[in-house]
Amino acid sequence: MTIANTTGGGPPKPAAVSPLPGPAGPSGNTGVASASGARLHAALTRLPSLTGLRFPAALFVFFNHTGLPFPFLRLLEDDKAAMNYFDVTANAGALGVTFFFVLSGFVLTWSARDRDTTGAFWRRRFVKIYPNYVITWALAMVLFASAFTPTGTAVANLFMVHVWVPKFDVLSSVNTPSWSLGCELLFYASFPLLYRLFQRISLGHLKYWIAGVTAAVMATPLLAYSLMADAPAFPGGAALGAEATVEQYWVSYYLPPVRMLDFALGMLVALAVRHGRWRNIGLVWSGVLLAGSYVICSYVPFLYSQRSVTIIPIVLLIAAAATSDINGRFTVFRNRAMVWLGEISFAFYMLHFVVLAYSRKVLDGYFSPAETAGIIAGQLVVTVILSWALYALVERPITRRWSKPRSARATTD
């Protein structure tokens, strides 16, 4: 999730250490205490706080799209009010997507199964992701996108390869958030090999790998600004305070191999947490740092605001939430409501833009701040209801039915 997954089978227990039983979590899973305060070994099969954190991340993307001052999304009549709202939400989408990319690497590593095959892993990812993807693609095409989307672009979007084209009318085609699933496709294809390679890293060297990948993420905008032409800026970018060319923006934010750094960082941090090589600062301080970094994003050059400023607090927050679950500590993200919202968050992520764009299409005129707030609240409620339906009727039953090959299903039936 990824956007689509933060639960799994749990990490294998180290053979050399017998883990200590800890308090049972709300789902009945047993936590594991740390040995001499130095190593954390998890017997948890799930990390409910990470599941609960998925919905706030998806909500950040939702509010970012409600704040975009483009005619096909804008609701506010007053220009100043529209720009003020955009100023607040401008970097929320980038924060949410980066969170999901790091979370994806963390959770897939945490839940990796030693006896798993590459084919079995890819099968589970496919049945988890693609049915929702195709349904939301079709909805977007039917409701609004077919009127202005060339056939070739629509087909590229259907097969998740549109993110490889450095053109906004392709990158943002059909269902705009779908570009991130094109990145996830590369992540999933690479995960089995990356997991084998990262397991070979000595525990003493994990911190250097984490530092190096973090530095690479933070340096990406510097390289884009330094090595690529500064003109022409992408359409409308200057007016929005987003000073970069299409190519600079694509390379530093959209290009799948570059975004795989986020995913790899999540993998490395999961290994560090698993083996007690992570210095946890706690959820509160991680949240404070993340909030502070979001404010700073408004005062740095555009490309730096997209992930460089927030990457460290994101990593700290994910690791802190996982550590809290391992040790059976309370978090506000592991209650039943938050876990349920986290479970439908992939459907929410894929549906929200369809709801926003279609509702804007059928609404006439522009609105006051109070009216806009009411409309956005209604869009949010509708998206949650539709997301629950998509999860309950499509995602969950298909995942349960088709995650395993027929022979394995017959054995467990």
Side-chain angles (χ1 to χ4, degrees), residues 56-66 92-94 96-97 100 177 349 352 356:
L59 203 58
F60 266 70
V61 182
F62 172 88
F63 283 119
N64 170 246
H65 287 144
T66 65
V97 170
F100 279 128
Y349 181 84
H352 80 273
L356 296 179

Side-chain angles (χ1 to χ4, degrees), residues 210-270:
I210 291 171
V213 175
T214 301
V217 171
M218 298 178 70
T220 302
L222 175 63
L223 296 176
Y225 280 132
S226 301
L227 302 179
M228 304 180 73
D230 291 330
F234 71 82
L240 300 177
E243 297 183 0
T245 67
V246 173
E247 289 76 16
Q248 287 173 332
Y249 194 15
W250 177 67
V251 166
S252 62
Y253 184 70
Y254 291 97
L255 188 61
V258 172
R259 296 316 300 261
M260 196 154 68
L261 291 169
D262 307 36
F263 179 77
L265 182 57
M267 294 181 65
L268 292 165
V269 171

Side-chain angles (χ1 to χ4, degrees), residues 137 140-141 144-155 157 169 172-174:
W137 175 90
M141 287 294 294
F144 55 85
S146 61
F148 51 81
T149 306
T151 300
T153 299
V155 172
N157 189 290
D169 58 347
S172 299
S173 62
V174 189

Side-chain angles (χ1 to χ4, degrees), residues 9-51:
K13 300 174 186 176
V17 179
S18 176
L20 303 174
S27 62
N29 300 316
T30 304
V32 177
S34 59
S36 302
R39 293 171 62 85
L40 295 173
H41 302 299
L44 284 168
T45 59
R46 295 177 182 270
L47 297 174
S49 293
L50 292 188
T51 302

Side-chain angles (χ1 to χ4, degrees), residues 95-135:
L95 172 62
V97 170
T98 301
F99 184 93
F100 279 128
F101 284 168
V102 177
L103 183 65
S104 177
F106 188 102
V107 170
L108 289 180
T109 300
W110 190 265
S111 61
R113 308 166 184 177
D114 280 351
R115 296 182 180 180
D116 204 8
T117 65
T118 297
F121 170 79
W122 286 341
R123 180 191 183 98
R124 290 195 304 274
R125 294 294 86 216
F126 180 83
V127 300
K128 178 75 174 177
I129 300 297
Y130 203 59
N132 280 10
Y133 186 93
V134 171
I135 288 171

